[in-house]
Short mmCIF file of all heavy atoms in Angstrom, two decimals:
data_model
loop_
_atom_site.label_atom_id
_atom_site.label_comp_id
_atom_site.label_asym_id
_atom_site.label_seq_id
_atom_site.Cartn_x
_atom_site.Cartn_y
_atom_site.Cartn_z
N ALA A 194 20.31 3.44 -8.14
CA ALA A 194 20.78 4.79 -8.33
C ALA A 194 19.76 5.62 -9.17
O ALA A 194 19.64 6.87 -8.95
CB ALA A 194 22.14 4.80 -9.03
N GLU A 195 19.06 4.99 -10.08
CA GLU A 195 18.12 5.67 -10.92
C GLU A 195 16.72 5.81 -10.25
O GLU A 195 16.00 6.77 -10.52
CB GLU A 195 17.95 4.87 -12.23
CG GLU A 195 16.79 5.32 -13.13
CD GLU A 195 16.91 6.72 -13.67
OE1 GLU A 195 18.08 7.22 -13.75
OE2 GLU A 195 15.92 7.31 -14.02
N ALA A 196 16.43 4.94 -9.35
CA ALA A 196 15.07 4.86 -8.76
C ALA A 196 14.55 6.16 -8.17
O ALA A 196 13.33 6.44 -8.28
CB ALA A 196 15.04 3.74 -7.71
N PRO A 197 15.32 7.00 -7.54
CA PRO A 197 14.82 8.29 -7.00
C PRO A 197 14.17 9.18 -8.10
O PRO A 197 13.48 10.15 -7.73
CB PRO A 197 16.03 8.94 -6.37
CG PRO A 197 16.94 7.77 -6.00
CD PRO A 197 16.76 6.84 -7.14
N GLN A 198 14.46 8.92 -9.33
CA GLN A 198 13.88 9.74 -10.39
C GLN A 198 12.32 9.67 -10.45
O GLN A 198 11.66 10.53 -11.01
CB GLN A 198 14.50 9.43 -11.76
CG GLN A 198 15.94 9.80 -11.90
CD GLN A 198 16.08 11.31 -11.73
OE1 GLN A 198 15.28 12.11 -12.23
NE2 GLN A 198 17.13 11.70 -11.00
N LEU A 199 11.77 8.56 -9.91
CA LEU A 199 10.31 8.50 -9.88
C LEU A 199 9.77 9.59 -8.94
O LEU A 199 8.80 10.34 -9.31
CB LEU A 199 9.88 7.11 -9.37
CG LEU A 199 8.34 6.86 -9.46
CD1 LEU A 199 7.82 6.96 -10.90
CD2 LEU A 199 8.00 5.53 -8.83
N ALA A 200 10.35 9.75 -7.79
CA ALA A 200 9.92 10.80 -6.86
C ALA A 200 10.25 12.17 -7.46
O ALA A 200 9.46 13.13 -7.27
CB ALA A 200 10.64 10.65 -5.50
N ALA A 201 11.37 12.30 -8.16
CA ALA A 201 11.76 13.59 -8.75
C ALA A 201 10.71 13.96 -9.83
O ALA A 201 10.38 15.16 -9.98
CB ALA A 201 13.16 13.46 -9.38
N THR A 202 10.24 13.00 -10.53
CA THR A 202 9.19 13.25 -11.54
C THR A 202 7.92 13.79 -10.90
O THR A 202 7.27 14.69 -11.37
CB THR A 202 8.88 11.96 -12.35
OG1 THR A 202 10.06 11.60 -13.07
CG2 THR A 202 7.74 12.21 -13.38
N LEU A 203 7.55 13.20 -9.78
CA LEU A 203 6.36 13.66 -9.04
C LEU A 203 6.57 15.07 -8.56
O LEU A 203 5.67 15.92 -8.62
CB LEU A 203 6.04 12.71 -7.83
CG LEU A 203 5.61 11.33 -8.17
CD1 LEU A 203 5.47 10.50 -6.89
CD2 LEU A 203 4.30 11.33 -8.93
N ARG A 204 7.75 15.39 -8.06
CA ARG A 204 8.05 16.76 -7.61
C ARG A 204 7.95 17.75 -8.73
O ARG A 204 7.48 18.86 -8.54
CB ARG A 204 9.42 16.81 -6.94
CG ARG A 204 9.50 16.01 -5.58
CD ARG A 204 10.72 16.40 -4.80
NE ARG A 204 11.98 16.11 -5.50
CZ ARG A 204 12.62 14.91 -5.42
NH1 ARG A 204 12.09 13.92 -4.67
NH2 ARG A 204 13.75 14.74 -6.07
N GLU A 205 8.45 17.34 -9.93
CA GLU A 205 8.36 18.24 -11.10
C GLU A 205 6.86 18.50 -11.47
O GLU A 205 6.52 19.62 -11.81
CB GLU A 205 9.16 17.64 -12.25
CG GLU A 205 9.02 18.40 -13.56
CD GLU A 205 9.46 19.89 -13.48
OE1 GLU A 205 10.20 20.21 -12.52
OE2 GLU A 205 8.99 20.69 -14.35
N VAL A 206 6.07 17.46 -11.47
CA VAL A 206 4.64 17.67 -11.80
C VAL A 206 4.04 18.58 -10.75
O VAL A 206 3.26 19.51 -11.04
CB VAL A 206 3.90 16.29 -11.80
CG1 VAL A 206 2.38 16.51 -11.89
CG2 VAL A 206 4.41 15.45 -12.98
N HIS A 207 4.34 18.39 -9.44
CA HIS A 207 3.87 19.23 -8.39
C HIS A 207 4.30 20.67 -8.61
O HIS A 207 3.51 21.58 -8.47
CB HIS A 207 4.40 18.73 -7.06
CG HIS A 207 3.89 19.43 -5.87
ND1 HIS A 207 4.30 20.69 -5.41
CD2 HIS A 207 2.89 19.10 -4.96
CE1 HIS A 207 3.68 21.04 -4.38
NE2 HIS A 207 2.82 20.11 -4.04
N ARG A 208 5.57 20.88 -9.05
CA ARG A 208 6.06 22.23 -9.31
C ARG A 208 5.25 22.90 -10.40
O ARG A 208 4.88 24.06 -10.34
CB ARG A 208 7.55 22.19 -9.68
CG ARG A 208 8.17 23.54 -9.86
CD ARG A 208 9.51 23.47 -10.61
NE ARG A 208 9.35 23.02 -11.97
CZ ARG A 208 8.84 23.77 -12.96
NH1 ARG A 208 8.52 25.06 -12.72
NH2 ARG A 208 8.74 23.30 -14.18
#
Side-chain angles (χ1 to χ4, degrees):
E195 170 63 23
Q198 289 300 318
L199 187 62
T202 297
L203 293 175
R204 292 195 298 271
E205 173 58 20
V206 172
H207 185 281
R208 185 196 66 76

